[in-house]
């Protein structure tokens, strides 16, 4: 077992995304997953029916309990929800500034349910100060950049703008929502750029892809991989998880197979 990852995110009762997906992913890579739960959701493949947020103090207490004892090589942030929780997480991260942080800006579930409050969107930007890598999908990047995006070039320009204006080391802009037959993801730093391209898979089993990819990258970084290799392995893992998905659920946001034979 190698690589300690502290995951700060919400719980998905359906097991396809959130804390459940994060733990499975880190475990599949042979890492050690720890958690600070921010919210509990009642959801399945048909959608999210209820959300209950934990108190900001309890979220911070979970983080401190883990970091002061076990420690972490990487911290991964997922669903934080509201401004109060984000402020508590931000204050806690400030005490552990040497630990790299991968942030998946979870705003909307695959089913369409809103997972970040309006005040949370405003408070979210404070987290940039602690961000090593940001992993927005196209709709999230539109919110963060303030631009409407419809092409890979527009996505690249928006990602570059966010990265430079907020002094983020790395950003992975995910283009699965772009039209076309291919998925185009763009990895950027101030000195580096790489485009990843794969054929789209016609499937309903895409619930939790964002959570899963960010956690896969986080555990690879925790195990000592370089950024580009961590993204390569994470993307390959998600693709195999989709291709080997179980026949579970009746809705449009169906789960992947997080425990497939990892070929990364």
């Amino acid at each position: 077992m190698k690589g300690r990852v502290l995951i700060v995110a919400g719980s998905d009762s359906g097991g396809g995304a959130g804390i459940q997906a994060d733990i499975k992913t880190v475990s599949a890579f042979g890492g050690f997953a720890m958690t600070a739960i921010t919210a509990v959701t009642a959801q399945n493949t048909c959608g999210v029916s209820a959300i209950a947020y934990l108190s900001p103090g309890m979220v911070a207490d979970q983080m401190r309990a883990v970091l002061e004892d076990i420690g972490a090589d990487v911290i991964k942030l997922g669903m934080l929800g509201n401004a109060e929780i984000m402020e508590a997480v931000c204050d806690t991260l400030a005490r552990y500034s040497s630990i790299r942080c991968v942030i998946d800006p979870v705003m909307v579930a695959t089913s369409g349910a809103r997972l970040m409050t309006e005040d949370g969107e405003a408070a979210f930007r404070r987290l940039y100060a602690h961000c090593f890598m940001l992993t927005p999908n196209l709709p999230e990047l539109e919110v963060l950049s303030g631009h409407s995006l419809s092409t890979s070039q527009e996505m690249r320009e928006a990602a570059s703008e966010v990265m430079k204006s907020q002094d983020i080391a790395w950003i992975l802009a995910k283009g699965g929502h772009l039209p076309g037959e291919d998925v185009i993801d763009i990895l950027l730093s101030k000195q580096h750029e790489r485009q990843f391209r794969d054929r789209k898979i016609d499937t309903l089993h895409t619930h939790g892809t964002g959570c899963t990819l960010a956690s896969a990258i986080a555990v690879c970084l925790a195990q000592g991989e370089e950024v580009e290799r961590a993204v390569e392995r994470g993307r390959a893992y998600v693709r195999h998880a989709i291709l080997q998905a179980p026949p579970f659920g009746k809705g449009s946001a169906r789960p992947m197979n997080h425990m497939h034979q990892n070929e990364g």
Side-chain angles (χ1 to χ4, degrees), residues 24-231:
K24 294 173 190 177
T25 301
V26 172
S27 300
F29 277 85
F32 184 71
M34 303 160 286
T35 63
I37 298 175
T38 60
V40 177
T41 68
Q43 65 176 294
N44 53 28
T45 65
C46 298
V48 180
S49 57
I51 300 175
Y53 295 106
L54 272 70
S55 71
M58 183 59 183
V59 175
D61 285 345
Q62 292 175 81
M63 294 177 67
R64 286 193 297 266
V66 169
L67 293 171
E68 291 174 5
D69 176 27
I70 302 170
D73 299 298
V74 173
I75 297 171
K76 183 255 179 169
L77 305 185
M79 175 188 174
L80 301 181
N82 61 39
E84 292 79 9
I85 291 175
M86 291 180 195
E87 293 288 346
V89 170
C90 195
D91 290 342
T92 305
L93 290 176
R95 300 176 56 182
Y96 304 93
S97 58
S98 64
I99 304 175
R100 290 180 294 178
C101 192
V102 175
I103 302 180
D104 182 29
V106 178
M107 296 179 176
V108 179
T110 305
S111 62
R114 188 180 182 90
L115 299 177
M116 184 183 290
T117 62
E118 291 185 8
D119 66 340
E121 285 186 13
F124 178 81
R125 288 162 175 79
R126 189 182 167 205
L127 292 164
Y128 287 146
H130 307 288
C131 183
F132 175 74
M133 178 182 285
L134 187 70
T135 64
N137 61 27
L138 193 72
E140 292 161 350
L141 185 56
E142 287 183 324
V143 173
L144 298 175
S145 68
H147 301 303
S148 178
L149 309 172
S150 59
T151 68
S152 60
Q153 181 58 28
E154 290 175 349
M155 181 177 74
R156 183 210 168 278
E157 291 171 356
S160 180
E161 178 183 312
V162 171
M163 179 192 68
K164 292 176 181 177
S165 65
Q166 303 298 331
D167 198 27
I168 298 169
W170 293 88
I171 184 166
L172 177 66
K174 301 174 296 186
H177 291 83
L178 287 171
E181 296 182 346
D182 292 342
V183 175
I184 299 173
D185 298 338
I186 300 174
L187 177 67
L188 292 172
S189 73
K190 292 179 180 177
Q191 296 83 29
H192 184 88
E193 177 176 341
R194 179 175 172 185
Q195 184 179 109
F196 299 85
R197 182 187 295 263
D198 288 294
R199 185 69 63 174
K200 286 183 178 178
I201 302 169
D202 185 13
T203 180
L204 295 176
H205 291 270
T206 57
H207 184 48
T209 50
C211 305
T212 300
L213 178 56
S215 287
I217 293 170
V219 68
C220 287
L221 292 173
Q223 293 173 340
E225 296 280 14
E226 296 296 328
V227 170
E228 190 169 337
R229 177 58 177 157
V231 173

